[in-house]
Amino acid sequence: MRRRPGLIADYQSDAAVFRSNVSRFWFAVMLVAVVVLGLGGTLPLIPGLVDFGLSGGLMLIAVSAVFASIGAIGLNIVTGFAGQVSLGHAFFLGVGAFTGAVLGGTEVTRQVLDLSTGQFAEKTLVVGYNLDLIIWLPAAGLMAALVGLIVAPVAFRLRGLYLAFVTLGLVFIGDHLFREATSLTGGVGVGRESGVPSLFGFRFDESGEVFGIYLSKPQRLFFLGLALLLVMGLVAKNLARSRVGRALAAIRDRDIAAEMMGIPLARYKMIAFVVSSFYAGVAGALLYSAIGRLEPGSFNLLLSIEFIAMVLIGGVATVSGSIMGAVFITFLPRLVKWLAGFWLFGFISESPAGGFITLAQMEQILFGGLIVAFLIFEPLGLYGIWIRVRNYWKAWPFSY
Amino acid sequence: MTQFLQALVNGVSLAAIYALIALGFVIIYKSTQVLNFAQPALLLLGAYWVLYFATVWGWRFEIALLLGVVLASITGIIVERTTLRPMVGKPVFAVAILTIGLNTVITIFALDLMGVEIRQMGDPWRLQFLTFGGINIAYRQVAAIVTVVLLVGLLLAFFKYSRMGLAMRATAFDQEVALTQGISVSTVFALSWAIAAVLALFGGVFLGSGVGLDRSAAVSALKALPVVVIGGLDSIAGALVGAVIVAISEMLAATYQPQYAAFLGNGFSQLVPYLVMFVVLLVKPYGLFGTKEIERV
């Protein structure tokens, strides 16, 4: 008998990362496709005929999308897998971003006239240690995880909605801290340079040749992000299918029942929180190191909602869904801009002042609207749509 | 001493505003089990209508207020009908997130109507105040407190004596049983959203009266969340007590923190509601007056 990939008869194959060779094959195909997309302009696939690459601005957005995917996976661990609503993701992103910036960024000093002595003295405006990526990236994750660990005790005393409130409060407290710690963050409206992505002297933020292939700055960052996303996505996937993941799923589905079965609630909720914060920290540090600058005002509730939208639109409790959601949400502004070009959407104005609705506003309306629409019509998100489409074609032409 | 009393007076009038917004939360939560994060948006939109009729069209403030109330309740009903009704029976968390999405959409819409500058409400109180033993009491503060006392009294009487109020209490107690008793639960849902929207409108009007309304009102409205959490999500008394606690501690912090604890930074008083919420939740996870959930496996 031919092997039936849809038939799952034992736990081992149920928990496998790839259920069949077919899915393994398609994963490889997709990976190759993404790499080709990243190499793009540099790789003359069909010389002079097709340019497969994501060029210029699109490439930069793709970089953000890849880094945001890591953050979305992090949020999905706590909100999707463990079912604990966290509105405080922006805070953890911020902690990671500023840790990365302090450790990996450069110090800014200014000559200040000391009135008592009449001499000019060096005054440090922003602290920075110029460390390597290999140090500041894990440190950013660990710092966020540590903060998560501190917050977790509050979190596992609470359930459901009360937890949402506490994490909401966290965003406001974080916002205040970031604004006030000016020697670390540069202060509101000013900001500071973020961590320099240089690994053992190899700069990811500069263009140049690697193994004879010319890679631009966004391309280098893209491949850095892709490698990290692969690793961290795999870790999350493995976490989800291990003992921890099953415990988290049990807590999500019914926490009291889980406790009755002997799952220590406090410990597993803490694990979920800490791991999620770690992902957020890494993602935050990377996101802003790609942009180059960061400012304390940007880690607000809106950023949290953006990540919630990624998780909800992508697909709750799936790693691939988080990535889909992150890519979709990151490309959304671009999509809106493109839509604004049509006469039908003429009410969207490109300038911040004119028209009925500006691009930025349309974007936020779409966030909100998409969250509402997906929750009502497709709670499984893009992942759910993908599964439906796949199942339809599986049995085609007899798909009724 | 004057400073302390002044802070107290300001705190009580702020408490009145928080109480209005928080009551909306509690009423919606009690009757529909929906946590309404869209309350700040309803506040902005409601207050905008009042200021539009009062200043742009130049009508009397009372008429503008009345018209605003009508429009706000219609908004509440439309929002409930279109976005919340399909979510009946879905997980509480999903519905809560949905209201966040809703909040974003309505807020953008309201802010776009409002523009970037501070808009005067066209209220009769302006910035007039009376001085009483060295303490300044603004007319609008008095108006806010009086309105809250009146509205809360009206609401409580409505819940206690009217047929519809009884229906609402029954629905809050047990939705399915209420249905079997012939209560139109959908009317109850619509009505509670309408009431919440109107309460939010009043909150917005008093936030904007005198000093004018701008986009920061949404941030102030969000502080009603700590209020309901401190009081307990499903307790009307809790909302009132929570409002007093939050507003007075915020005002005391605003008065004394710059003098005695300047290292905490500017605008620290904005944080106080959230810090109080943390402390209360650590001690009492269901708030001061909230019912402890008892669940069966």
Side-chain angles (χ1 to χ4, degrees), chain A residues 230-302:
Chain A
L230 260 179
V231 173
M232 298 190 81
L234 202 67
V235 169
K237 184 97 190 166
N238 277 326
L239 189 81
R241 69 199 187 96
S242 68
R243 183 189 174 83
V244 179
R246 286 192 297 273
L248 294 184
I251 293 173
R252 172 192 60 207
D253 292 341
R254 194 92 164 105
D255 51 352
I256 298 173
E259 204 174 9
M260 301 303 272
M261 283 158 59
I263 294 170
L265 284 190
R267 187 202 299 169
Y268 281 105
K269 281 186 185 176
M270 195 169 71
I271 290 177
F273 243 89
V274 168
V275 174
S276 154
S277 310
F278 181 85
Y279 275 68
V282 170
L286 285 172
L287 263 173
Y288 286 91
S289 115
I291 297 168
R293 271 197 91 76
L294 75 170
E295 197 263 328
S298 44
F299 301 97
N300 50 16
L301 189 58
L302 210 64

Side-chain angles (χ1 to χ4, degrees), chain A residues 79 83-87 151 153-154 157-170 172-174 176-177 180 254-258 260 301-302 305 308-309 312 316 355-358 360-362 364-373 375-377 379, chain B residues 25 29 33 35 37 82-84 86-87 90 92-102 104-105 108-109 111-113 215 219 222 225-226 228-229 232-234 263-268 271 274-275 277-278 281-287 290-291 293 295-297:
Chain A
T79 299
Q84 309 295 312
V85 189
S86 167
L87 293 175
V151 181
V154 190
R157 258 185 81 78
L158 306 169
R159 293 175 45 205
L161 297 171
Y162 284 94
L163 181 63
F165 283 125
V166 166
T167 48
L168 178 82
L170 212 56
F172 285 95
I173 291 170
H176 183 76
L177 289 178
E180 291 304 319
R254 194 92 164 105
D255 51 352
I256 298 173
M260 301 303 272
L301 189 58
L302 210 64
I305 294 175
I308 292 257
L312 285 177
V316 177
F356 178 66
I357 273 173
T358 64
Q361 288 175 331
M362 189 63 207
Q364 288 185 27
I365 288 187
L366 273 181
F367 278 147
L370 282 171
I371 294 176
V372 173
L375 277 170
I376 293 179
F377 299 114
Chain B
F25 273 109
Y29 185 75
Q33 267 81 54
L35 199 69
F37 279 101
T82 51
T83 52
L84 275 306
M87 297 298 285
K90 295 274 171 66
V92 187
F93 144 64
V95 188
I97 297 292
L98 179 130
T99 59
I100 293 181
L102 205 61
T104 323
V105 175
I108 294 291
F109 186 62
L111 287 181
D112 202 55
L113 290 172
R215 39 193 66 208
V219 180
L222 217 53
L225 281 169
V228 276
V229 175
L233 282 179
D234 54 353
F263 64 92
L264 290 172
N266 297 326
F268 177 76
L271 272 192
Y274 297 99
L275 293 176
M277 176 181 77
F278 269 109
L281 281 185
L282 266 181
V283 183
K284 294 186 73 102
Y286 291 96
T291 356
E293 274 175 58
E295 281 191 75
R296 270 191 284 203
V297 179

Side-chain angles (χ1 to χ4, degrees), chain B residues 9-20:
Chain B
V9 168
N10 291 346
V12 171
S13 73
L14 188 64
I17 296 171
Y18 286 167
L20 283 172

Side-chain angles (χ1 to χ4, degrees), chain A residues 1-192:
Chain A
M1 200 175 83
R2 200 169 69 92
R3 280 196 52 199
R4 289 159 61 189
L7 182 73
I8 292 156
D10 54 320
Y11 286 120
Q12 206 158 20
S13 52
D14 186 46
V17 177
F18 298 107
R19 291 220 169 137
S20 63
N21 282 332
V22 179
S23 65
R24 207 166 276 140
F25 169 74
W26 281 112
F27 180 76
V29 167
M30 235 170 68
L31 200 61
V32 170
V34 171
V35 170
V36 168
L37 220 60
L39 284 174
T42 60
L43 198 71
L45 270 179
I46 310 169
L49 196 67
V50 200
D51 182 13
F52 272 108
L54 291 169
S55 55
L58 275 180
M59 195 67 211
L60 272 173
I61 304 174
V63 171
S64 298
V66 174
F67 291 151
S69 302
I70 297 176
I73 292 174
L75 184 62
N76 221 336
I77 288 172
V78 78
T79 299
F81 292 127
Q84 309 295 312
V85 189
S86 167
L87 293 175
H89 213 58
F91 172 59
F92 295 112
L93 285 165
V95 170
F98 282 117
T99 312
V102 167
L103 292 180
T106 32
E107 194 174 56
V108 178
T109 55
R110 197 177 57 181
Q111 298 285 336
V112 179
L113 183 64
D114 192 346
L115 286 176
S116 57
T117 58
Q119 298 277 314
F120 279 99
E122 286 268 299
K123 186 170 176 281
T124 310
L125 288 184
V126 176
V127 188
Y129 294 101
N130 273 328
L131 293 174
D132 197 84
L133 179 88
I134 198 83
I135 297 172
W136 66 252
L137 190 60
L142 288 175
M143 190 66 197
L146 189 72
V147 175
L149 192 69
I150 296 169
V151 181
V154 190
F156 51 67
R157 258 185 81 78
L158 306 169
R159 293 175 45 205
L161 297 171
Y162 284 94
L163 181 63
F165 283 125
V166 166
T167 48
L168 178 82
L170 212 56
V171 174
F172 285 95
I173 291 170
D175 189 57
H176 183 76
L177 289 178
F178 294 150
R179 277 165 199 274
E180 291 304 319
T182 44
S183 64
L184 300 178
T185 65
V188 188
V190 185
R192 62 166 299 161

